[in-house]
Amino acid sequence: NNKYIPKKLSVEALLSGIEFSHALQKHVSDLQLHVDKIINTNDRYWVETKNLGVEYLVTKWPDNPGRQGCTVSDVHERIAELNIKKFKLKIRGFQVNPDGCVVLRGFDDGVIQNIRRKFFDSFPNLPSKQSQWAHIPIGRILTQIDPAKFRNLTEFFINSERWLNFDEEIDCVHYVSEHRWYMIEKEILFTQKFSI
């Protein structure tokens, strides 16, 4: 029925979002509609805007059945100790990666990378597979698109920094157990508010 369902998996991660502001969600839904017009295919999957997130750290991947050296309470205690201040995630355009993943490009003045580093200092056995930058996955194109459409899409995302340019205030972090990719099925294990 041209409906794609993300695969089941077992991941635990620290992230912000779920949900972001209504303004960010509106930017994303407008962007998804515009990309749809360009690629003109149902062979794509869009993340529901209420499930959008920016990942700080993964503590458990499917190929690592147990948490790598830390419990939920360890993660909660460590994030509380860090006393993180709320910050701005700067959204500056979007891009399409070679695997078809469509992401908002984020810049955070190193806050997320700093949190990740401090967790690795405390828990050196965390999975080595980690995101290396601040981004928000918004979907995935699942098929090759013809060269003319790809040129139009490329031109659209190259110029996107001009009009997709805003700041999102980040004031809390969630520790999530994800059971189906793109947060379709999840359990929020705890939420930690940031200081002002």
Side-chain angles (χ1 to χ4, degrees), residues 20-174:
F20 285 118
S21 69
H22 291 299
L24 185 146
Q25 292 183 57
K26 178 74 165 71
H27 280 297
V28 169
S29 60
D30 290 348
L31 177 58
Q32 290 168 335
L33 286 171
H34 201 98
V35 171
D36 267 343
K37 287 179 186 171
I38 294 171
I39 63 176
N40 192 27
T41 179
N42 288 321
D43 291 336
R44 52 88 180 117
Y45 176 81
W46 292 128
V47 179
E48 294 178 56
T49 56
K50 67 179 182 179
N51 291 331
L52 296 168
V54 59
E55 183 182 284
Y56 295 54
L57 180 78
V58 174
T59 60
K60 176 184 166 190
W61 283 107
D63 52 358
N64 291 313
R67 285 180 203 90
Q68 300 299 296
C70 62
T71 65
V72 175
S73 62
D74 288 335
V75 176
H76 198 181
E77 286 172 22
R78 187 68 183 115
I79 204 74
E81 288 168 0
L82 293 176
N83 192 30
I84 303 156
K85 290 182 170 43
K86 63 182 180 180
F87 65 94
K88 300 282 189 188
L89 180 64
K90 301 171 182 70
I91 303 301
R92 301 294 183 264
F94 83 103
Q95 68 187 52
V96 181
N97 295 338
D99 62 358
C101 194
V102 184
V103 300
L104 294 185
R105 299 174 63 223
F107 301 89
D108 67 332
D109 296 328
V111 175
I112 293 172
Q113 195 73 276
N114 188 43
I115 292 168
R116 187 179 299 127
R117 184 180 46 77
K118 288 180 176 176
F119 264 85
F120 269 91
D121 289 346
S122 299
F123 310 107
N125 293 324
L126 287 168
S128 57
K129 181 182 172 186
Q130 301 287 343
S131 173
Q132 296 303 312
W133 65 301
H135 66 284
I136 301 171
I138 67 167
R140 188 178 294 266
I141 299 168
L142 303 170
T143 188
Q144 282 198 323
I145 55 177
D146 71 54
K149 290 176 184 173
F150 187 74
R151 278 192 299 276
N152 291 339
L153 181 60
T154 301
E155 185 176 321
F156 183 53
F157 72 68
I158 286 171
N159 294 318
S160 67
E161 205 170 313
R162 291 187 203 150
W163 52 267
L164 191 62
N165 185 323
F166 62 95
D167 294 350
E168 176 77 1
E169 184 173 85
I170 305 296
D171 64 359
C172 70
V173 68
H174 310 287

